[in-house]
Amino acid sequence: MERFFQSIPSSYAAGYEAARKVDGRLAESYIRHTLIGDPAADQVVADLAQRYTPAQVHPMVSRALGSDAKFPVEAPESLREFTAELAEAPEWFDEDLAMSATRAFLRNSDMVLGALVGGAIIEGFSTMISKSFRIRSRIIENGVRRLKQNLAQLLDQYMPGGMLPGGDGWRMSIRIRLIHAQARRLIRPTPEWDESRYGLPLSAAHMLLGAAAFSGRVMQHVENLGGDFSAEEREGYVHVWRYTAWLMGIPEEILFRDYASSVRTFEIGALCEPPPDDDSIIMANSIVNSAPIVLGETEIEARRSLAAYVYQVSRELIGDELADQLRYPSPWRINRVPVLRLRNFGDRMLRRFAPGLGGLRSRSRFSDMMGAANLGPGGISFALPTSVFDEESRDW
């Protein structure tokens, strides 16, 4: 234990002490994985960088994630092995359970969006995760596109068949995994990153914390907003994220199994993390101020008004203590989440007693989310970033 404690990145020492009093096994596992990246994906991006130009990488990766018949013969063996390991879903993946989540997601798309943007993403960026993103400046320079990519991934995950091998959600998850590996390769040599303090950038621990935030933690926020996921549908939502996390390279031995374990993973992982710093403040506020543009507001005053509303809802979801640490504006006198909860209860009653009108309203909300997730003509690219600083990188 003493040798293990000496290996802890210094930024995590105090958090680990607090977390291990709650769940020593999970806390130790989390801290160990702050020093682990993704060996398979790391090897792929290293081989691609060594042998190919950036312009060659995009079509090669795109073809590699397509059908076997079109797999590029010139691709490195590491890419072939990497995709072969992901070509079949794990035995534990349950398509019926995943479909139950799809039905609930379609009914509750606006609440999932609110839970994600106002709650889980903000809480994720209150941790050391924010440092990797702030260094690369992806959120600051392209916050709108980043949020849209998150929403596009969510839509692809929960569409029927989206997570089956070759589906859009499957491809998107692997794309993100390779981008994380490339970002890790670019960040590690920079003077600003000190592994003795921070561990590895975009470590397996942070990938796990993000997946837990986007699954079980989102479900907690959805419940607070008045969502109507049944117990089975909630488990299905987390189940899809468990498979997504597996595709994204999180070791199966640390992967959450169900809703309860995903919530526990988030709780202990967050305890291990240091308090929010300037990077967290920058990233969280960038997300909130990007949200109105993603939702279609173009006028300055309307954007300011909607940002103020998002700040208030977010404050109520994440709590005053974290909101103050992130330097949110002062709270409003009247809370907004109870109003949202009441509205969503009314929508449930509408679906029950006037299914036609209720269905129309659900479809309208889902259409709004589709619009928010629209990435425009460029769509999703399989290119990889080429510079640690996003403004110096080729488009990806």
Side-chain angles (χ1 to χ4, degrees):
M1 177 61 71
E2 182 177 350
R3 179 179 296 179
F4 169 69
F5 191 81
Q6 291 174 349
S7 71
I8 294 175
S10 59
S11 293
Y12 292 94
Y16 170 66
E17 278 297 304
R20 74 185 186 93
K21 295 175 183 177
V22 180
D23 191 325
R25 180 195 61 80
L26 189 52
E28 181 176 338
S29 177
Y30 185 84
I31 293 298
R32 285 189 188 280
H33 283 84
T34 63
L35 300 170
I36 297 172
D38 180 349
D42 290 343
Q43 186 62 57
V44 170
V45 298
D47 289 346
L48 291 173
Q50 183 178 15
R51 296 172 55 181
Y52 305 98
T53 67
Q56 292 172 312
V57 169
H58 179 186
M60 182 181 298
V61 173
S62 182
R63 287 163 57 204
L65 297 179
S67 66
D68 291 339
K70 296 181 180 179
F71 193 93
V73 294
E74 71 277 16
E77 187 60 27
S78 58
L79 180 59
R80 184 180 296 276
E81 293 174 356
F82 176 80
T83 54
E85 289 179 2
L86 305 175
E88 293 186 9
E91 292 183 358
W92 47 258
F93 181 61
D94 185 335
E95 291 183 50
D96 292 335
L97 187 57
M99 184 56 69
S100 72
T102 292
R103 291 190 291 268
F105 174 75
L106 294 174
R107 290 198 314 269
N108 293 273
S109 58
D110 60 330
M111 281 171 278
V112 175
L113 173 61
L116 186 72
V117 175
I121 291 181
I122 300 298
E123 290 170 322
F125 278 131
S126 73
T127 71
M128 192 73 73
I129 292 173
S130 60
K131 188 168 295 295
S132 298
F133 284 84
R134 195 275 307 157
I135 288 173
R136 298 209 61 251
S137 73
R138 182 66 173 175
I139 293 289
I140 302 167
E141 297 296 325
N142 296 299
V144 172
R145 184 168 176 82
R146 172 69 191 186
L147 269 181
K148 283 179 174 288
Q149 287 178 335
N150 284 131
L151 299 182
Q153 180 189 14
L154 198 63
L155 287 169
D156 288 340
Q157 283 177 267
Y158 290 97
M159 290 300 95
M163 290 303 293
L164 296 180
D168 288 341
W170 180 87
R171 286 163 58 87
M172 175 75 87
S173 300
I174 299 172
R175 169 192 178 271
I176 293 171
R177 180 177 179 179
L178 292 174
I179 287 172
H180 286 160
Q182 178 75 340
R184 192 160 43 244
R185 189 180 74 85
L186 295 170
I187 293 171
R188 288 187 72 181
T190 61
E192 194 170 358
W193 193 269
D194 182 348
E195 291 187 14
S196 68
R197 292 180 62 191
Y198 309 136
L200 284 183
L202 299 169
S203 65
H206 279 162
M207 296 301 98
L208 176 66
L209 183 63
F214 286 3
S215 57
R217 187 58 174 160
V218 159
M219 286 292 95
Q220 289 184 310
H221 289 315
V222 166
E223 182 177 5
N224 196 15
L225 290 170
D228 67 338
F229 279 74
S230 68
E232 179 186 11
E233 290 166 341
R234 185 180 63 190
E235 291 292 347
Y237 187 90
V238 172
H239 186 70
V240 171
W241 257 106
R242 185 187 184 207
Y243 178 32
T244 302
W246 179 83
L247 287 172
M248 291 174 65
I250 298 173
E252 196 161 352
E253 63 266 22
I254 65 169
L255 194 52
F256 49 82
R257 301 174 306 281
D258 52 22
Y259 169 74
S261 63
S262 70
V263 168
R264 184 64 162 180
T265 295
F266 177 80
E267 175 191 1
I268 299 303
L271 275 176
C272 287
E273 292 288 323
D277 61 7
D278 288 347
D279 292 327
S280 298
I281 293 168
I282 291 169
M283 302 308 295
N285 286 276
S286 295
I287 286 290
V288 172
N289 285 290
S290 294
I293 304 173
V294 171
L295 295 174
E297 291 293 354
T298 56
E299 298 297 326
I300 292 178
E301 287 306 315
R303 282 164 49 187
R304 288 174 177 168
S305 177
L306 184 53
Y309 180 81
V310 174
Y311 268 121
Q312 178 60 27
V313 172
S314 180
R315 171 181 283 275
E316 293 173 48
L317 291 176
I318 68 177
D320 285 330
E321 181 179 359
L322 179 55
D324 289 342
Q325 288 176 319
L326 295 173
R327 299 186 186 174
Y328 272 26
S330 299
W332 291 0
R333 295 179 63 184
I334 300 175
N335 286 346
R336 298 301 171 185
V337 167
V339 177
L340 287 172
R341 197 159 47 233
L342 182 62
R343 186 204 71 180
N344 292 325
F345 174 78
D347 286 343
R348 292 204 303 274
M349 294 300 100
L350 186 65
R351 285 196 298 271
R352 178 179 299 179
F353 297 109
L357 288 175
L360 183 63
R361 184 165 176 78
S362 294
R363 287 191 294 274
S364 175
R365 290 180 176 181
F366 181 70
S367 178
D368 290 343
M369 187 170 183
M370 289 281 286
N374 184 1
L375 291 164
I380 291 295
S381 166
F382 288 93
L384 300 177
T386 56
S387 171
V388 66
F389 304 115
D390 198 63
E391 60 270 22
E392 299 175 2
S393 176
R394 289 172 60 102
D395 289 340
W396 55 275

